[in-house]
Amino acid sequence: MNRVVARVQEVQLRKGIPHFRPGDTVRVHVRLKEAEGEKERIQPFEGVVIRKRGSLAGASFTVRRVSFGIGIERIFPINSPTISSIDVVSQGRVRRSKLYYLRGRKGKAARIKQAGRATSVEEPVAPAAG
């Protein structure tokens, strides 16, 4: 039964979502409905990914940012239609998968080191024959 459910969920997955990990700074463009009529606008929410969980259609991630001295966290389902796009602003170097310790830190103590990861997938170079 699990294989059938997995196949159905794979069909429902969104395409074009960039690869990001906890510690990365992302900008999530969220669709919001205006109060009047059918108007929609897109509002960016930029912050550090502190958690990723789940797989396939049930996957979600938590983004944290500090606004006017108050920490704000939002949980986004990865395959949600309210997400217009996700941009990876910078990649962080962390050694944990859940960054809940950032909640208790302020200012410079809450910074994350920049990673030296490659942003694109590179093909291995074949050694020269001869």
Side-chain angles (χ1 to χ4, degrees), residues 14-115:
R14 288 181 61 172
K15 306 293 187 263
I17 295 176
H19 175 72
F20 58 91
R21 303 193 315 198
D24 293 352
T25 302
V26 295
R27 184 178 297 123
V28 182
H29 298 275
V30 184
R31 289 189 184 104
L32 297 175
K33 293 219 185 260
E34 290 291 326
E36 56 209 48
E38 296 293 319
K39 288 187 179 180
E40 262 189 7
R41 67 184 179 95
I42 295 178
Q43 181 182 37
F45 186 87
E46 183 173 334
V48 176
V49 177
I50 64 169
R51 175 178 92 159
K52 279 183 83 172
R53 63 158 295 275
S55 62
L56 297 176
S60 66
F61 62 100
T62 303
V63 179
R64 175 181 175 82
R65 80 167 182 208
V66 178
S67 179
F68 298 104
I70 299 171
I72 299 169
E73 294 182 8
R74 286 187 68 179
I75 300 171
F76 297 102
I78 289 181
N79 298 300
S80 172
T82 60
I83 294 177
S84 174
S85 64
I86 301 172
D87 301 328
V88 179
V89 177
S90 64
Q91 296 176 333
R93 181 178 168 271
V94 294
R95 295 170 63 173
R96 297 173 182 232
S97 61
K98 306 288 190 279
L99 305 179
Y100 299 138
Y101 67 90
L102 291 177
R103 293 172 177 164
R105 303 217 176 159
K106 295 180 183 177
K108 289 185 177 182
R111 289 182 298 181
I112 295 176
K113 292 181 182 178
Q114 296 296 312

